[in-house]
Amino acid sequence: MSEFVTIETEPNAPAKQRQKSGNNPAVFIQTYGCQMNVSDSRTIEALLGEAGYSFADSPDIADIVLINTCMIRETAEVRALGQLANLSALKKQSPHKIIGIIGCVAQAKRTEILKSHPYVDLIIGPDAYRKLPLLLEERFISPPGTPGLLETTLVREELYDDILPRHRGGVSAFVTIIRGCDKFCTFCVVPRTRGRERSRPLVSILREVEQLLAQGVKDVMLLGQNVDSYRSEDHDFADCMTAVANLPGIERVRYMTSHPTEISDKLLQAMGEHERIMPYLHLPFQAGNNRILELMNRHYTRERYLEIIASARKLVPDIALSTDVITGFPTETDAEFQDTFDLMEQVRFDTAFMFKYSERPLTRASKMKDDVPEAVKIARLERLIDLQQRISKESNEAQINRETTILIEGTSPKDKKQWSGRTPDFRPVVLPRSSEKLGDVVPVRLQSLTGFTFHAERLSQ
Ligand code: 5AD
Ligand code: SF4
């Protein structure tokens, strides 16, 4: 799945807001990586909340600090492990604090972590979170300072569909609909860390969304590494999406991530026809050259990818397109990279997440020679970034004077007199505050841009 937010880290609250709720042991979770990890952290909070734990807003005052790690690319892993290293000082100061490492790195690298971070008390991967309350309980009943690591191996491929994640407020929420991935792209570690594809029953998804709507949520993003593989009895992903979009009270539904081999016209049609399904498609292409796509095990060609983009544009008016792309996959030549560059120039994505290839353990590509020099990978990446910055800017400028709507998501952090919100195609907008409230959908005209944020004026309803 894509990391729409490349690294999502929950910001530490300002000191005056730091507090524990209640006297029970307090947990702080720092989340790295994709929205799936964010969603998992909410599930863990629900599990621990039910078991009687409270929550802290910073590691300093927490009794238990969990780092939810990502290892999709080397940089993500290094960042998460860097944060873990920072916690060793905290552990020295307060030896009774429990430090846990969870998420994908915990799943794939438990032995290495044990050796390199001996102060870690607990280490578990995404399929074993249900064991957390039990493991923590064991730790709390052990005499203080008991050495030893609480560790659990893969239990089974867990779904967590009976747990309603803890909603932290706000009008937007993530809902996981399918876990794991069976695609085995040769560069990607996800199938090894998150296991096989498992869809949640549709009823359980609808129950979770209904509960979120009751808490004031208006905008839901359905998550999965490959949402198009979703199946529940005879319902496919388009059915799931439409069922969620039909729930009374919902304003906006989005999803992430699609795969070019599985995305269906039925889904694109539903996006085009249903006014609550937002016209935004994140469809990673990864490479624009057929030999490299084959080496990546992507199962489509450049030509097929372009066909899908053409049907998306035909079936979904005003669709915004986003993608993921990798430079410097093993053996990629300059001419093959040029195919990637040309595809991006041809499609003109509104947004793109661009990465240089990094070798990941346990992947098939890690058996290939990582033979593109680092400087070449970076130079190719920089060319793509320059291209995309120009295209994104032009795509935004073409929106000026457009009439659209925004969903009010909060107060602008930069100016308390402005609301911040997003257009249906996910462009950030600020609007002078007036009598609207959070969660309202307001008709606006986009007037100007500062960076990537639009300034808008309200239109009368
Ligand atoms: N190196 C670089 N980028 C990668 N991605 C996944 N694995 C790797 C890797 N080994 C990128 C892909 C994917 C996104 C989430 O991360 O583009 O779609
Ligand atoms: Fe996405 Fe491929 Fe990784 Fe699956 S294996 S999560 S499809 S990049």
Side-chain angles (χ1 to χ4, degrees):
M1 149 185 221
S2 160
E3 289 166 291
F4 182 65
V5 187
T6 309
I7 299 287
E8 194 269 1
T9 306
E10 289 168 37
N12 288 344
K16 65 177 173 19
Q17 283 177 24
R18 290 182 183 178
Q19 50 187 307
K20 291 201 223 183
S21 46
N23 294 323
N24 296 347
V27 184
F28 173 81
I29 309 180
Q30 176 118 33
T31 310
Y32 290 87
C34 62
Q35 299 93 333
M36 209 76 171
N37 265 11
V38 178
S39 166
D40 281 357
S41 290
R42 298 293 97 81
T43 300
I44 293 168
E45 285 174 0
L47 268 166
L48 294 180
E50 235 168 70
Y53 290 88
S54 62
F55 300 98
D57 290 339
S58 95
D60 328 344
I61 53 154
D63 304 291
I64 302 152
V65 180
L66 302 176
I67 308 291
N68 195 352
T69 55
C70 170
M71 69 182 298
I72 188 102
R73 288 175 300 277
E74 202 178 357
T75 41
E77 182 180 335
V78 167
R79 247 187 95 152
L81 290 179
Q83 172 61 7
L84 186 61
N86 292 341
L87 292 177
S88 80
L90 205 59
K91 179 78 177 173
K92 270 196 201 112
Q93 270 168 27
S94 334
H96 300 319
K97 209 180 276 283
I98 292 182
I99 309 284
I101 175 154
I102 62 178
C104 292
V105 183
Q107 179 66 37
K109 290 205 156 174
R110 63 185 67 240
T111 324
E112 288 98 314
I113 294 168
L114 264 169
K115 279 204 199 114
S116 54
H117 301 79
Y119 49 87
V120 167
D121 298 286
L122 182 132
I123 172 162
I124 70 173
D127 282 321
Y129 294 150
R130 221 179 263 278
K131 284 206 157 185
L132 255 173
L134 191 73
L135 290 174
L136 288 173
E137 193 184 328
E138 279 171 23
R139 174 42 58 109
F140 278 112
I141 44 186
S142 309
T146 308
L149 183 105
L150 298 169
E151 179 188 14
T152 172
T153 47
L154 190 81
V155 199
R156 68 190 163 93
E157 286 173 349
E158 189 57 88
L159 255 178
Y160 307 108
D161 52 88
D162 54 333
I163 301 163
L164 293 171
R166 177 172 174 251
H167 179 56
R168 290 190 160 191
V171 297
S172 303
F174 296 139
V175 173
T176 300
I177 63 159
I178 175 168
R179 301 180 81 87
C181 181
D182 289 352
K183 292 285 179 287
F184 289 93
C185 302
T186 54
F187 52 80
C188 184
V189 73
V190 165
R192 321 280 166 176
T193 57
R194 290 193 166 264
R196 301 288 62 73
E197 279 169 2
R198 296 94 68 197
S199 296
R200 283 177 68 179
L202 184 55
V203 282
S204 138
I205 295 168
L206 295 177
R207 193 177 45 138
E208 182 175 333
V209 178
E210 276 168 346
Q211 163 144 341
L212 288 166
L213 296 175
Q215 293 175 65
V217 166
K218 301 281 178 191
D219 175 12
V220 168
M221 180 168 312
L222 303 179
L223 293 181
Q225 258 82 30
N226 270 306
V227 288
D228 310 283
S229 307
Y230 179 84
R231 290 289 172 279
S232 170
E233 296 173 348
D234 50 359
H235 302 299
D236 62 12
F237 176 56
D239 299 333
C240 168
M241 183 82 169
T242 310
V244 171
N246 283 339
L247 287 174
I250 200 155
E251 288 290 347
R252 294 182 167 186
V253 187
R254 315 174 179 282
Y255 64 95
M256 174 146 314
T257 295
S258 266
H259 192 288
T261 54
E262 277 186 90
I263 187 167
S264 65
D265 274 359
K266 179 177 169 190
L267 176 70
L268 295 173
Q269 256 148 14
M271 282 174 82
E273 283 163 13
H274 202 304
E275 62 169 348
R276 301 199 194 278
I277 304 180
M278 295 299 106
Y280 182 94
L281 173 64
H282 181 71
L283 192 67
F285 78 100
Q286 312 296 6
N289 173 272
N290 288 341
R291 189 185 74 89
I292 298 294
L293 283 172
E294 199 171 333
L295 281 180
M296 287 177 162
N297 196 32
R298 290 289 290 179
H299 294 288
Y300 55 86
T301 59
R302 160 195 190 89
E303 293 71 26
R304 173 70 194 130
Y305 185 87
L306 291 171
E307 262 171 41
I308 300 167
I309 295 294
S311 23
R313 285 198 160 128
K314 194 165 125 230
L315 294 168
V316 190
D318 293 328
I319 192 168
L321 296 170
S322 115
T323 200
D324 290 346
V325 56
I326 299 176
T327 66
F329 186 81
T331 73
E332 184 189 67
T333 64
D334 282 339
E336 287 165 339
F337 164 71
Q338 192 59 41
D339 288 341
T340 293
F341 186 94
D342 293 346
L343 189 145
M344 284 190 67
E345 204 168 28
Q346 183 177 344
V347 173
R348 294 181 62 82
F349 295 99
D350 298 277
T351 326
F353 299 88
M354 296 159 278
F355 311 107
K356 69 181 164 68
Y357 172 74
S358 63
E359 192 177 296
R360 301 285 61 214
L362 314 171
T363 60
R364 265 166 53 205
S366 68
K367 312 252 169 359
M368 305 173 193
K369 197 158 170 264
D370 186 6
D371 58 353
V372 178
E374 189 64 9
V376 174
K377 285 181 191 167
I378 294 173
R380 289 178 187 166
L381 181 62
E382 283 172 352
R383 276 193 64 201
L384 287 190
I385 292 172
D386 285 349
L387 170 70
Q388 187 55 43
Q389 273 182 345
R390 172 170 65 76
I391 296 173
S392 295
K393 189 163 173 275
E394 288 167 2
S395 143
N396 273 341
E397 283 167 358
Q399 304 290 318
I400 302 278
N401 285 328
R402 189 179 139 205
E403 293 184 4
T404 180
T405 57
I406 65 166
L407 177 83
I408 308 276
E409 291 174 6
T411 303
S412 159
K414 292 205 183 119
D415 179 355
K416 300 269 169 288
K417 292 199 212 75
Q418 307 256 6
W419 289 120
S420 68
R422 285 186 187 265
T423 60
D425 56 354
F426 216 53
R427 298 175 201 265
V429 179
V430 291
L431 173 79
R433 283 178 71 143
S434 150
S435 56
E436 310 83 7
K437 25 179 219 333
L438 288 182
D440 281 354
V441 175
V442 183
V444 298
R445 176 179 294 114
L446 303 177
Q447 288 181 300
S448 62
L449 269 164
T450 305
F452 287 96
T453 304
F454 286 91
H455 299 264
E457 65 174 347
R458 189 175 300 89
L459 295 174
S460 44
Q461 306 251 11

